[in-house]
Amino acid sequence: MERLALGVLISGRGSNLQALIDACADPTFPARIAVALSNRADAGGLDRAAAQGIPCAVVPHRDHPDREGFERAVDRVLRDAGVGLVCLAGFMRVLTPWFVGAWANRLINIHPSLLPAFPGLDTHRRALDAGVRFHGCTVHFVRADVDSGPIVVQAAVPVLPDDDEARLAARVLAAEHRCYPLAVRLVAEGRVRIVGGRAVVEGAAAPRGAALNPCDCASS
Ligand code: GRF
């Protein structure tokens, strides 16, 4: 089995990178990490990757006069590593239409909300402020508009009455660590097609019925 070569782009602690590293440690997983790349030399995730012998690259955005120059340097690293799928995992640079076009449908992102709700930053704070009963995370193909694009996998988690931002973020992050490897596996197995701007997943089961929150368990 030829395993899909991943390029994982990070800017920080890299817990989602770690989830992908753990998934790829299983020899039956259909992807492998060809390179972990950061725009910041101090990204903690690079240490996680280096500890596993995964090739690491640092492309500091400040070394380049403009966004596209930076992205061309990133693109070169990815192509040299033979990457077939780019996974953004807490990569804190907005990508230009040039880069998004160059990696069209081979570029996915994980975002800490149930998109299209709460694109952008501070998603957990905003979910609490809005009083939503469910929050979660999304893995989606990247389009030029920030936090938009065909959705591959989502996980919903309940928002609990005594949640603060940290508690809710931790619950969502645990879901992220399940979603990203699943999404990569589905893509690597060739089970995701993009049809009319939406991602269609072949042969995957979905939960039936509704989840309620609050569920008023006493009356059910
Ligand atoms: C995650 O919450 C991810 O959804 C968002 O940035 C965060 C990165 O966390 N895009 P980590 O670096 O993977 O721990």
Side-chain angles (χ1 to χ4, degrees):
M1 169 191 68
E2 172 97 38
R3 303 172 86 190
L4 180 63
L6 308 179
V8 185
L9 271 50
I10 63 167
S11 297
R13 86 195 137 174
S15 70
N16 278 290
L17 167 62
Q18 184 69 56
L20 293 174
I21 291 172
D22 293 346
C24 291
D26 176 349
T28 67
F29 192 75
R32 64 183 175 88
I33 302 181
V35 65
L37 182 151
S38 177
N39 61 310
R40 299 178 56 107
D42 61 354
L46 290 176
D47 300 332
R48 299 175 188 264
Q52 307 293 318
I54 292 167
C56 293
V58 178
V59 181
H61 56 278
R62 291 190 204 288
D63 286 1
H64 298 273
D66 54 27
R67 230 175 248 284
E68 206 165 309
F70 164 68
E71 291 179 350
R72 286 197 185 272
V74 171
D75 181 74
R76 211 157 25 244
V77 171
L78 296 171
R79 291 191 193 278
D80 287 351
V83 165
L85 179 69
V86 179
C87 302
L88 306 179
F91 187 63
M92 300 305 284
R93 307 300 299 168
V94 173
L95 296 168
T96 67
W98 174 77
F99 188 92
V100 173
W103 289 92
N105 297 340
R106 294 185 302 149
L107 173 59
I108 61 178
N109 178 46
I110 186 153
H111 180 76
S113 78
L114 290 170
L115 290 172
F118 311 122
L121 300 174
D122 295 326
T123 57
H124 309 309
R125 171 82 270 139
R126 287 155 62 209
L128 289 170
D129 289 347
V132 294
R133 294 293 191 256
F134 288 97
H135 185 40
C137 60
T138 303
V139 180
H140 63 96
F141 285 96
V142 173
R143 295 292 180 258
D145 288 337
V146 172
D147 298 328
S148 74
I151 291 168
V152 184
V153 175
Q154 290 186 308
V157 302
V159 180
L160 304 181
D162 57 352
D163 271 349
D164 59 15
E165 216 174 322
R167 268 193 293 267
L168 182 55
R171 195 174 306 120
V172 172
L173 194 63
E176 291 186 39
H177 297 160
R178 294 175 61 201
C179 275
Y180 220 174
L182 171 59
V184 167
R185 185 161 64 77
L186 294 171
V187 172
E189 289 174 348
R191 291 163 64 188
V192 185
R193 280 183 306 123
I194 297 181
V195 182
R198 292 191 297 169
V200 177
V201 180
E202 309 289 353
R208 306 249 162 234
L212 300 183
N213 179 26
C215 58
D216 195 13
C217 300
S219 69
S220 61

